[in-house]
Amino acid sequence: MRRFFARSSRLVIRQLGRAVAFSRERAVAFGELWRRSLQVRVVVSTLALSSAVVFVLGMVLQNQITDRLLSSKQEAAIAETHAAVATANRELLGVNVLSDGFRERLSGAVNKLSSSSADEEGTETVAGAFDPIIAYDGRGVPDSIQAGSNYSDVPESLRAFVQNGQLARQIATVDRGGVRTTFLFVGAPVTSANRPLQLYLLFPLTTEQNTINVVQSTLVVGGLVLLVLLAGVANLVTRQVVRPVRRAAEAAERFATGELDERMAVIGEDDVAKLAESYNQMAESIKYQIQQLEEFGQLQRRFTSDVSHELRTPLTTVRMAADVLHASRAQFPAGLARSTELLVDELDRFESLLGDLLEISRLDAGVEELVAEVTDVRAIAKRALDSVRVVAENAGSRIELELPAAAATAEVDARRIERILRNLLANAVDHGEGHPVRLRLAFNDSALAVTVRDYGVGLRPGEADLVFNRFWRADPSRNRHTGGTGLGLAISVEDARLHGGRLEAWGEPGLGANFRLLLPRQQDVELGESPLPLRPDDDVPAEPLEEVR
């Protein structure tokens, strides 16, 4: 038995848990629908407010009808009571309540009243049929003398008023044969006998209760039908307003995805039509401005590309002449020899600038292609280090590598990744102020990350986003060791985006900076979580992990 109850309890608890979970899911789904659908909010709000109005109106109508029915019943019952009192006074005129024939006279008076009630029951009157009771409840007799219905049904409070010579009425419910019946009790004194008697008329309220029940059911059904109709009307009206808004939102979404010819249909001359016209005018203006910007961008990119190409021929000639002068600088005076060296250095920087400009123009034009293949990025990092080794030694900076023992393979364009790392290392050397520069590489199942950390001047608040802008410098007055063109980080960002990755920066004044290159290990695969944090956990130079000189 205990096992049965335990099993039953577990089954009940399991069912309750499922019911609670289902209710929670439905509540969450409705909450989501409530937040996203204006139509649902309007319909539900209309139903809630309409329900409150219908409930209040139904209560007022029910109370008014009930009060009117009872008032009419009471007025007719009092009038009937006066007529019954007159009849009882005639029938009991001068009777002695202590005589032997009093009970017969009392029963005769009650029969007279009952016969008149039966006659009225056949006709439609407001008061309707009643049960008469005539009783003597006074001194000189051991028990109450009464004729008619059960005298015990009369409420004690009503008896007190009638015994004091007052006409009174009261509504009470009594038990008649196991059935609860509500009566309107009306009592009045009868004074024609030698001692005062009490006359009570019991008017059943069954008809009035049935009428009130019909009114209640009618109000409930009518209210529900009215709420359904209001919900349909609210839904229809809301759809007329929401549907154009939805069409406008869909048109705006398609316009935002690049379908610049997307327009709204203008139907009629109402406010929605004005909204459609305004939207179409705005879309046309935006399309015109976008076309202008695209044309201007194309002209700018073509101009940059053309100028870069045109400068290569005279630059080649100047480079040849400069190399001849540089080779013969030992024969020149000291000042002229120094000028020759400066000329060659600036020509190197000019060639780098032209190369970067051509690269930027190709990236802006979208004609660059990614030649990706599975490569061990550790080898790329070492080649990038070799390319900036001399510059780092001249600046007095030590470059530290932290490479994983396992092969860090990824599907990348080795030339572009090496250019990114070379730019990051050169930038770190320029701003490291002779402190060590650390390059870390780590990977997980979906992503590969490379960070280049320096402990130099750092970045001020807001400069982490500006550092990738073209030709932007944090401090133009600083001496540069690499002679950069100001386009290296901008090109690096575009190279990272071309791989489906991103390049980010962190820095604080006096604590240095940290640049993170995050790449997917496979192309056309969503970029996962980075294995290295952007904000480093060290704020001071650490001991070298692997020193490269």
Side-chain angles (χ1 to χ4, degrees):
M1 183 63 69
R2 291 183 178 178
R3 292 181 179 177
F4 174 75
F5 281 116
R7 188 178 304 170
S8 301
S9 300
R10 288 194 297 269
L11 181 61
V12 171
I13 292 174
R14 190 180 298 112
Q15 294 297 331
L16 288 176
R18 292 177 180 175
V20 171
F22 179 78
S23 301
R24 187 180 295 111
E25 291 177 359
R26 294 297 92 192
V28 171
F30 180 77
E32 188 70 18
L33 184 62
W34 175 269
R35 289 191 298 271
R36 292 189 174 185
S37 178
L38 175 63
Q39 185 174 354
V40 171
R41 291 201 299 271
V42 172
V43 172
V44 173
S45 301
T46 303
L47 280 179
L49 296 176
S50 301
S51 300
V53 172
V54 169
F55 176 77
V56 173
L57 182 61
M59 294 297 296
V60 171
L61 289 177
Q62 180 181 341
N63 291 334
Q64 290 291 333
I65 294 172
T66 302
D67 293 342
R68 185 64 59 86
L69 286 175
L70 291 180
S71 297
S72 301
K73 184 76 171 183
Q74 289 174 0
E75 292 175 359
I78 291 174
E80 192 69 34
T81 302
H82 286 298
V85 169
T87 302
N89 282 329
R90 290 194 302 269
E91 295 294 328
L92 299 175
L93 181 62
V95 69
N96 185 0
V97 298
L98 299 178
S99 64
D100 295 335
F102 174 68
R103 293 182 182 274
E104 289 76 7
R105 293 283 300 274
L106 197 63
S107 298
V110 170
N111 292 334
K112 182 70 175 178
L113 293 175
S114 298
S115 61
S116 64
S117 173
D119 295 338
E120 292 180 357
E121 188 176 1
T123 61
E124 294 183 359
T125 61
V126 177
F130 56 84
D131 295 333
I133 299 176
I134 300 178
Y136 173 69
D137 192 3
R139 296 176 181 178
V141 294
D143 296 320
S144 299
I145 301 174
Q146 57 92 19
S149 300
N150 192 355
Y151 180 58
S152 61
D153 291 342
V154 180
E156 293 291 339
S157 58
L158 181 63
R159 296 180 190 180
F161 280 100
V162 177
Q163 289 172 4
N164 290 331
Q166 300 178 8
L167 187 146
R169 64 182 183 273
Q170 185 176 347
I171 296 176
T173 302
V174 298
D175 192 355
R176 293 287 182 89
V179 179
R180 302 287 292 176
T181 306
T182 302
F183 288 93
L184 171 62
F185 294 84
V186 182
V190 177
T191 59
S192 60
N194 65 339
R195 293 188 181 184
L197 305 175
Q198 295 87 42
L199 170 64
Y200 300 97
L201 300 183
L202 280 66
F203 297 88
L205 298 178
T206 305
T207 303
E208 285 73 18
Q209 283 184 332
N210 293 334
T211 303
I212 293 174
N213 291 335
V214 172
V215 170
Q216 287 179 343
S217 60
T218 303
L219 290 177
V220 170
V221 174
L224 293 177
V225 173
L226 180 60
L227 290 178
V228 172
L229 293 176
L230 286 175
V233 172
N235 184 50
L236 179 61
V237 173
T238 308
R239 286 183 62 187
Q240 293 180 351
V241 177
V242 172
R243 186 179 297 173
V245 176
R246 289 176 178 172
R247 287 200 296 264
E250 293 173 356
E253 290 178 356
R254 290 192 294 268
F255 187 87
T257 57
E259 299 181 14
L260 301 182
D261 294 327
E262 183 66 29
R263 299 293 183 270
M264 289 183 61
V266 180
I267 302 175
E269 299 179 355
D270 54 6
D271 295 334
V272 177
K274 293 180 180 178
L275 172 63
E277 291 179 356
S278 300
Y279 172 82
N280 293 339
Q281 293 176 0
M282 178 191 67
E284 193 66 32
S285 176
I286 293 176
K287 176 184 177 181
Y288 176 72
Q289 294 179 11
I290 289 176
Q291 290 176 348
Q292 280 191 325
L293 290 174
E294 289 179 349
E295 293 176 358
F296 176 75
Q298 291 176 358
L299 290 175
Q300 187 179 25
R301 288 191 295 269
R302 188 181 301 114
F303 174 77
T304 303
S305 178
D306 293 344
V307 169
S308 301
H309 281 289
E310 291 298 328
L311 287 177
R312 281 200 172 275
T313 300
L315 179 61
T316 302
T317 304
V318 174
R319 160 64 69 180
M320 293 174 60
D323 290 340
V324 172
L325 294 175
H326 188 266
S328 305
R329 68 182 183 280
Q331 303 174 9
F332 299 154
L336 186 56
R338 178 57 181 163
S339 299
T340 304
E341 294 175 355
L342 292 177
L343 176 62
V344 172
D345 292 340
E346 290 302 319
L347 283 175
D348 291 339
R349 184 171 180 273
F350 192 33
E351 285 183 338
S352 298
L353 178 60
L354 282 178
D356 289 345
L357 286 174
L358 285 173
E359 186 70 22
I360 282 289
S361 63
R362 286 193 293 266
L363 289 170
D364 290 341
V367 297
E368 286 287 1
E369 294 183 358
L370 187 69
V371 183
E373 58 183 6
V374 178
T375 308
D376 188 353
V377 183
R378 296 181 303 173
I380 299 176
K382 292 179 180 179
R383 290 200 302 269
L385 173 62
D386 292 337
S387 64
V388 298
R389 184 196 304 272
V390 177
V391 177
E393 291 177 353
N394 293 335
S397 294
R398 183 178 63 251
I399 299 180
E400 304 165 0
L401 294 181
E402 182 180 345
L403 304 178
T409 57
E411 192 175 357
V412 297
D413 188 335
R415 180 181 65 86
R416 296 182 183 278
I417 299 302
E418 182 179 350
R419 181 167 59 189
I420 294 175
L421 298 183
R422 185 171 61 248
N423 286 330
L424 294 179
L425 289 173
N427 185 72
V429 169
D430 276 334
H431 298 84
E433 296 186 336
H435 293 294
V437 174
R438 172 178 294 181
L439 185 148
R440 298 179 63 190
L441 190 152
F443 62 92
N444 53 28
D445 293 337
S446 59
L448 182 144
V450 181
T451 60
V452 177
R453 174 80 161 99
D454 70 77
Y455 301 91
V457 295
L459 296 173
R460 291 188 292 268
E463 291 183 349
D465 296 328
L466 299 176
V467 73
F468 299 108
N469 292 348
R470 300 173 184 180
F471 301 108
W472 183 86
R473 290 187 182 181
D475 187 1
S477 63
R478 287 180 41 82
N479 292 326
R480 299 178 61 91
H481 300 283
T482 60
T485 62
L487 295 174
L489 291 180
I491 295 175
S492 299
V493 168
E494 297 299 331
D495 285 337
R497 291 176 181 171
L498 199 60
H499 282 81
R502 59 179 181 266
L503 183 60
E504 302 167 302
W506 168 90
E508 289 186 5
L511 298 181
N514 190 51
F515 287 78
R516 182 179 68 182
L517 173 64
L518 187 61
L519 300 171
R521 297 193 65 185
Q522 293 181 354
Q523 293 298 312
D524 301 328
V525 176
E526 184 178 357
L527 188 62
E529 184 178 356
S530 174
L532 293 176
L534 177 61
R535 181 187 179 94
D537 51 6
D538 59 328
D539 293 335
V540 295
E543 294 297 329
L545 299 174
E546 178 184 346
E547 186 174 346
V548 179
R549 293 191 178 275

